[in-house]
Amino acid sequence: SNLKAMNRENWTLTGAVTVYEGQVDISNCTFSNNKCEDALNLVRCHFVVDSSEIKNTLSDGFDADFCTGTLKNSKFLNTGNDCIDFSGSKISILHCTIQGSGDKGISGGERSTLVVKDCSVENASIAIASKDMSEVRVENTTIEHCSFGFAAYRKKAEFGPAKIYVKSVHISDVKSTYLIELNSTVTINGITKVG
């Protein structure tokens, strides 16, 4: 709790807790009130995060780059920016609760592959986002009180459009179900919308 990122002799890390190229197993842990870019930052790791909580962060909650792993049975509460942000990663997100995101609840970018199952996202600008050739698959998930349910788009010039596949979702009090940029797609119950 109350950690800042390390900044020493021109070496700056973005995370309150950062692991680089490690095998990571986190369970029954709480990361709270952190004043840095990421409460938890993993880079090129294989991880399992289980029954943990990230809350009241200045910016992102959990940021993982070029990782593989499973995030399950965890809570993300009141993050200043994204609750969960993955880039270039292959991740399963199971039985997680996300409440109060300043930007995106779940975000996959830079050719990420995410499976989101049995989760809930509440009070986010965008509940679930797929960017830059990422593919996000959503099943049995609830989205409430968000500006957008799903967003698929290209953010970086070197990448292409993104995809979201939704098998089953319950959506309520959302201003717009989807935001889709040119050539990106969102498929809900077999019906595909193309930007």
Side-chain angles (χ1 to χ4, degrees), residues 43-85:
V43 182
R44 293 189 185 130
C45 294
H46 178 74
F47 70 85
V48 175
V49 175
D50 185 12
S51 303
S52 294
E53 186 175 71
I54 294 178
K55 62 182 180 180
N56 304 327
T57 64
L58 184 66
S59 191
D60 288 350
F62 180 17
D63 190 315
D65 304 305
F66 313 109
C67 291
T68 58
T70 302
L71 171 61
K72 58 185 179 178
N73 308 315
S74 295
K75 293 183 180 180
F76 297 82
L77 311 170
N78 303 319
T79 60
N81 199 39
D82 298 340
C83 282
I84 305 169
D85 186 12

Side-chain angles (χ1 to χ4, degrees), residues 11 13 18-24 41-45 65-66:
W11 188 32
L13 298 177
T18 300
V19 180
Y20 179 73
E21 291 189 349
Q23 297 288 324
V24 180
N41 184 213
L42 305 181
V43 182
R44 293 189 185 130
C45 294
D65 304 305
F66 313 109

Side-chain angles (χ1 to χ4, degrees), residues 9 12 31 52 61 73 78-79 122 124 136 153 157 165 168 177 186 193:
E9 298 175 1
T12 304
F31 302 79
S52 294
N73 308 315
N78 303 319
T79 60
E122 186 176 342
V136 178
Y153 55 97
Y165 298 95
S168 56
T177 302
V186 175
K193 301 287 184 180

Side-chain angles (χ1 to χ4, degrees), residues 163-182:
K163 297 178 181 178
I164 299 175
Y165 298 95
V166 183
K167 187 173 180 182
S168 56
V169 66
H170 172 75
I171 298 177
S172 66
D173 191 25
V174 172
K175 291 180 183 176
S176 181
T177 302
Y178 35 73
L179 174 66
I180 312 171
E181 194 182 51
L182 180 66

